[in-house]
Amino acid sequence: MESDIRYYWRRAASEAAAATRALTSEARQRRLLLAEQFAIKARECAEAQPAT
């Protein structure tokens, strides 16, 4: 099963890539916002994990 951190980083990368393919500036901005939100979630998950 994929970890939450990996999922969020994968989605952030996917949304960033989709932003580069977006046809309109509005779509590009939405995709970039989603990418940023997923990256924030990934960082929050990483910070919540105990250090190993």
Side-chain angles (χ1 to χ4, degrees), residues 10-36:
R10 184 173 53 80
R11 285 300 311 272
S14 175
E15 292 298 335
T20 66
R21 298 186 304 269
L23 299 178
T24 65
S25 62
E26 291 85 6
R28 188 172 7 272
Q29 290 297 350
R30 282 193 306 270
R31 294 292 194 164
L32 289 173
L33 179 60
L34 279 171
E36 182 180 338

Side-chain angles (χ1 to χ4, degrees), residues 8 13 16-17 21 24 26 33 37-38 40 42 44-46 48-49:
Y8 288 133
R21 298 186 304 269
T24 65
E26 291 85 6
L33 179 60
Q37 291 172 339
F38 281 120
I40 289 168
E44 288 173 352
C45 285
Q49 283 190 342

